[in-house]
Amino acid sequence: QVQLVDSGGGSVQAGGSLSLSCAASDTVGSYCMGWFRQAPGKEREVVASIWTGRGSSTSAFYAEVVKGRFAISQGSAKNTLHLRMSALKPEDTGMYVCAADADCTGGYDVTEYTYRGQGTQVTVLS
C-alpha cells in the first residue's frame, strides 16, 4: 500500500506561480503518477501525468488547458512528484490531488489511478 502526501498549495494572484509536491511512502519510479484537480461544482479534471517507459525513458501528458504553463517531474529518488505551475489563472483554482498506479490503469488518466493523496488546495485570485 503506497501512501501519498500532497503539499505546496496556497493562494496566489493570477499570473503567479506555485509548486506542488507529492511524497510517496515507497519508491514509485516505475509507477504512473500525476495530478488531477477538482473545483466545486465541476468534474475531476486530469492535469498532468508522467510515467517511465522502456529503457527508462520518461513521458508526460498535459491537459490542453495547462500545456505550456505547468511542468511535471519526478525527484531523483523516484519517490517524489512535483508540479510547477506558472501563469496561473483563476480557472486553475481547485483541489489538486496526487495519484499513482503501479499498473498505469487508465493510461494517462490520473483519475483512474489506485493510490491518492489527500489533496492540496490551490486558489488563484483574479
Side-chain angles (χ1 to χ4, degrees), residues 27 29 73-82:
T27 301
S73 62
Q74 287 181 300
S76 58
K78 301 297 184 182
N79 61 350
T80 56
L81 184 70
H82 304 286

Side-chain angles (χ1 to χ4, degrees), residues 12-43:
V12 64
Q13 293 289 335
S17 300
L18 277 176
S19 291
L20 306 183
S21 293
C22 174
S25 61
D26 201 352
T27 301
V28 290
S30 63
Y31 286 37
C32 285
M33 297 189 72
W35 302 84
F36 67 87
R37 67 189 182 189
Q38 186 161 22
K42 296 185 178 180
E43 294 188 357

Side-chain angles (χ1 to χ4, degrees), residues 8-12 18 20 120-124:
S11 295
V12 64
L18 277 176
L20 306 183
T120 185
Q121 178 68 34
V122 172
T123 302
V124 183

